[in-house]
Amino acid sequence: MPGSDNAPEAVKILISGGFGVGKTTMVAAISEITPLRTEERLTAAGVGVDDVIGVEAKTTTTVALDFGRITLTPDLVLYLFGAPGQQRFWFMWNDLAVGALGGIVLVDTWRLESSFAAIDFFEKRGIPFVVAVNRFEGRPEYGIEQIRGALALPATSPLHMFDARERGACRDVLLSLVDHVLAQVSAPLQIAP
């Protein structure tokens, strides 16, 4: 009840995708608090291990998670967990997904294949998700249906073009995810004959 001394309800959202697609940027753009980041500098140890094609100028990487918060109402708080994108850190995705209401898969049109693992991750676990194509300068421009086809996304899966640096664009993606989750929860139960 509003104004009570009870802790607010917490909703967990997992933001995933390949290395360098903008997960840290998105959490920073939308979080009301200074995000917790676990970024470390890329080192010689990652040479030959990490795929940096298309993101050669990147100097840091998330090694555990990014964490942000959005207070929707005094009784409802949204927690954002940005997953690490490098394959060697994917083992943490299972733990980060525990209790997640839904997910966001960030995509870079330069490296679409780096998003397949995140899409598969949510599909296999039955976690509702939306796909958000981060518009990087100098990247090829493709239409929504071209990207949907390349990712083999069904028409029922929300797909958005956005800029992870813009708070309003991040808000719109999060609202789309909430709508998608609500639609799945309120869908009639399908019972096989």
Side-chain angles (χ1 to χ4, degrees):
M1 105 171 56
S4 71
D5 292 332
N6 295 332
E9 290 293 323
V11 175
K12 182 179 184 180
I13 303 296
L14 181 60
I15 301 168
S16 67
F19 175 57
V21 295
K23 299 174 298 292
T24 299
T25 301
M26 181 179 187
V27 171
I30 192 73
S31 179
E32 69 189 20
I33 62 170
T34 301
L36 167 70
R37 295 180 177 176
T38 60
E39 286 201 315
E40 295 294 335
R41 295 193 61 73
L42 292 171
T43 65
V47 173
V49 176
D50 300 327
D51 180 8
V52 295
I53 295 173
V55 288
E56 293 86 356
K58 191 163 171 52
T59 60
T60 61
T61 187
T62 299
V63 296
L65 62 100
D66 296 308
F67 174 79
R69 183 185 73 207
I70 303 169
T71 302
L72 300 176
T73 70
D75 297 325
L76 183 60
V77 177
L78 185 67
Y79 292 119
L80 306 172
F81 288 78
Q86 292 188 44
Q87 188 173 358
R88 61 186 163 133
F89 299 124
W90 287 354
F91 68 93
M92 294 188 299
W93 288 16
N94 283 322
D95 290 336
L96 291 173
V98 171
L101 179 71
I104 298 170
V105 176
L106 294 189
V107 173
D108 177 355
T109 59
W110 189 261
R111 299 172 296 121
L112 281 177
E113 70 283 350
S114 73
S115 60
F116 294 147
I119 291 169
D120 290 345
F121 179 85
F122 289 117
E123 286 179 341
K124 286 178 182 175
R125 286 157 184 80
I127 299 172
F129 68 96
V130 300
V131 175
V133 180
N134 195 4
R135 290 185 160 157
F136 288 94
E137 291 179 28
R139 296 292 203 249
E141 288 286 329
Y142 299 102
I144 291 276
E145 291 312 311
Q146 288 176 296
I147 295 170
R148 183 178 299 285
L151 295 174
L153 286 176
T156 56
S157 295
L159 176 63
H160 302 277
M161 306 297 271
F162 90 125
D163 185 331
R165 300 169 295 182
E166 296 178 4
R167 183 177 179 82
C170 295
R171 178 202 61 223
D172 292 346
V173 170
L174 286 167
L175 288 172
S176 172
L177 175 61
V178 170
D179 288 344
H180 184 57
V181 169
L182 289 173
Q184 288 195 350
V185 169
S186 63
L189 181 63
Q190 300 293 325
I191 300 175

